[in-house]
Amino acid sequence: MEEVSVQWYVEDVSAHSCEVAVAGLPGVGHVGKLVVDHLIRSLNAVKVAEITSTYFPPQMYLSEDGVLRFPRNEIFFAAGEEGRPPMLFLAGDCQSVGPEGHYVLGEAYVKVFSLLGVKRIYTLGGYGVGRLVENPRVLSGLSHASLREAVVAAGAVSNGIEPVGGIIGAAGLLITCGRRAGMEGVALLGETSGYLVDPVSSTAVLDVLEKLIGFTADRTELSKLAEEMQADLSAFTSSIQQNSADDLRYIG
């Protein structure tokens, strides 16, 4: 098995080229993954390529018929419509298990984007803060300082300080690897607790992404997930408060 293998699912690659790519792989709170998976479904995107790698975790996945398959990441294409440009999406099962693999895969993703004519990459992810966040901010990292004004105008934070410690994994590497290949890039990270799948943070990230690209997505599915999460958290908080009140009754 090769370190990185790309299998194309379309005969005419050039027919699926476009200038904008959006990446959302599994990470903190699955913030970016939720957004990209939602957009792939709501925009009826078609699969263009599949990427497998020995740098992925040795965790096989079950298909619907019970057959095991290798972990994979995939490239999807959504055709443009009035009010929305064509877009590519990078989605999938996982990221690399080690530092070297992150660099190798980052370069591989950028090569695929280059073949497809990409000029700007948006990477989406989460920034764990260790607590529940009711109104998450969206932090950013840029390939070029010239992008800062537009990113701030779209509602993201760009202060040169946050995210503290930088950006680990594909969300940061795709921006820097893309810059070396002549592409612009913006990383958008939604604040999240870090220990829950967080559609509320995903919605905040989508808000900024829509303004930067200039389109409006169907929010039905993502909004439903966010409402369910908030309801579950409210019930959990009420339960904790009730248990605390019950405990106090034993204190004389």
Side-chain angles (χ1 to χ4, degrees):
M1 185 173 177
E2 298 178 30
E3 285 189 344
V4 180
S5 176
V6 179
Q7 180 180 356
W8 293 94
Y9 279 71
V10 292
E11 293 184 5
D12 187 358
V13 173
S14 62
H16 298 81
S17 64
C18 63
E19 297 185 357
V20 175
V22 182
L25 295 174
V28 180
H30 275 8
V31 173
K33 178 175 173 58
L34 284 176
V35 175
V36 168
D37 287 354
H38 171 71
L39 291 175
I40 288 170
R41 289 190 293 269
S42 63
L43 300 179
N44 297 313
V46 297
K47 185 172 177 176
V48 174
E50 179 177 294
I51 299 156
T52 54
S53 174
T54 54
Y55 290 109
F56 289 158
Q59 176 183 355
M60 302 301 107
Y61 289 79
L62 282 167
S63 61
E64 291 182 0
D65 56 4
V67 177
L68 288 167
R69 64 167 178 81
F70 285 110
R72 67 191 180 205
N73 288 339
E74 300 164 301
I75 306 288
F76 291 85
F77 171 81
E81 295 181 354
E82 184 177 353
R84 190 192 76 233
M87 289 182 276
L88 290 167
F89 298 101
L90 170 61
D93 295 326
C94 53
Q95 297 197 43
S96 170
V97 293
E100 180 183 357
H102 278 294
Y103 283 93
V104 173
L105 286 164
E107 292 285 359
Y109 298 141
V110 167
K111 285 181 181 178
V112 172
F113 288 156
S114 182
L115 286 171
L116 291 165
V118 171
K119 294 184 178 179
R120 180 176 291 187
I121 303 171
Y122 293 97
T123 62
L124 314 180
Y127 178 63
V129 296
R131 56 179 171 78
L132 296 176
V133 184
E134 186 174 349
N135 297 301
R137 297 180 303 158
V138 177
L139 310 179
S140 66
L142 315 173
S143 64
H144 301 81
S146 59
L147 298 171
R148 186 176 185 180
E149 183 177 352
V151 169
V152 172
V157 175
S158 178
N159 55 22
I161 301 172
E162 300 171 289
V164 177
I167 303 174
I168 298 172
L173 269 169
L174 283 173
I175 304 304
T176 48
C177 290
R179 180 174 60 213
R180 291 177 58 183
M183 302 174 192
E184 294 181 327
V186 177
L188 299 173
L189 305 182
E191 289 182 317
T192 182
S193 65
Y195 48 81
L196 292 170
V197 174
D198 194 346
V200 174
S201 183
S202 297
T203 300
V205 169
L206 180 56
D207 287 341
V208 176
L209 182 70
E210 286 180 333
K211 293 172 185 173
L212 286 170
I213 296 178
F215 77 108
T216 302
D218 179 358
R219 300 290 189 92
T220 305
E221 182 181 337
L222 199 57
S223 296
K224 182 180 179 181
L225 288 173
E227 290 171 1
E228 289 174 352
M229 174 189 167
Q230 289 175 321
D232 289 342
L233 287 176
S234 295
F236 176 73
T237 301
S238 297
S239 175
I240 293 296
Q241 291 173 341
Q242 181 61 48
N243 289 338
S244 297
D246 290 343
D247 289 342
L248 289 174
R249 294 173 188 171
Y250 292 95
I251 300 176

